[in-house]
Amino acid sequence: MKIKVALVRCDSYDRDKVKAAITKLIDALGGFEAIFAERKACGVTLPAISSDSPLILKPNLLAKAPPEKAVATHPEVFRAVGELLRERGYSSITYGDSPGNPVLSTEKTADGCGIKAVADELGIPVGDFGSGREVEFPQARASKRFVLCNEIADNPYGVINLCKMKTHQLERITGATKNSFGCVFGMNKAAFHARFATPETFARVIADLNRLVVPRLHIMDGVVAMEGNGPASGEPVEMNVILASLDPVALDATFCHLIDLNADLVPTQLACMEAGVGEGREEEISVIAIDVPMIPDGKELTLDEVAAKCGNRYFDVQRGKDYRGRFRVLGPFAKLLEKKPHIVRGRCVGCGICVETCPLEDKAILMGPDRKPVYDYSKCIKCYCCQEMCPEKAISVKKSLVARISDRRWGV
Ligand code: SF4
Ligand code: SF4
């Protein structure tokens, strides 16, 4: 049987519309009882979840940014899921994420994203994301130990992943599988970036994490997505969809199809498939369409069919074959495809967050005499942590002309 992804058209964050859309998604997947039944995934048996089992809502809270910036999961998506769970009797719910900036608490970040206010209204407390502990994972392929936030370490099979549809400089996209990185506690995230510096090795860490922490349901907020310089400094773009699945790899494969990105070029997709996290092959996935014009509700579509109806082939994402991946063999010609972070000096306010965030002991970015940062590209591992965390969108990614051409879809 094919892996199911449910997709609903939703053209605004109007409270009632979002709730109706998410209700339909949950129903399309069989309802909470079926979703939370005991099942096998990632080589483990996930226990059944009952109404008093602890559940963790894990939105993407990368940085303190208002909802219209499309950096974090929209508060109305959070509200709809929280309300539905409450209405169906689930009583023990917390929420949280470990933000990109380790100095900021989860609560403060959630406040800046509009999620705290909604959580307070619903009586959903923030979980323990302010401390962490080491968890061994001997069967891992990349990292045999993780320092997880305590809330997650206590309940690794009770997470509902509320991810955001965005681009990512290192992994091309951040959707369902990549959102697991916020389960890692504080500064340990930077240490992973320094240790696993290439897109491929970092993707293997994400795959390990998705086998250690196995969410019960993945819901992707794509009403307004982020394109371009994601995951924090890109541009909001209407995609008008919300998606849900029990399989994060199938969900990300659908996202790739919607934006006309070859999923075989997405390192997290390849690593997660190799590790058995989920199914990314398009012939094994079917998309249950809801509220899609001219399509009867519940009809199952192929990924090509759903992309034709709901996709955006001009979505700004890295489509070219990155030299750091399979084109490493290009040697000196790899420079033709080079990308690197770059300071937009007019926007920089000299806060120094980029320097703090650089995971290298011997920093590749330092404040210059004019209180604006300067790169040492000979040290830079191109992890883009600095770009992710700049609150002023003052770090862009400079691409060579060839890289720009290979990333574009030309509309004529
Ligand atoms: S580039 Fe961004 S993070 Fe770095 S100092 Fe300037 S404003 Fe702050
Ligand atoms: S300067 Fe930026 S991209 Fe380079 S290693 Fe440091 S954080 Fe990563």
Side-chain angles (χ1 to χ4, degrees), residues 343 347-355 365 367 371 373 386 389-392 394-395:
I343 305 294
R347 283 195 187 158
C348 175
V349 296
C351 66
I353 290 176
C354 50
V355 178
I365 183 169
M367 295 311 272
R371 293 299 301 156
C386 51
M389 294 322 301
C390 171
E392 303 295 330
I395 301 179

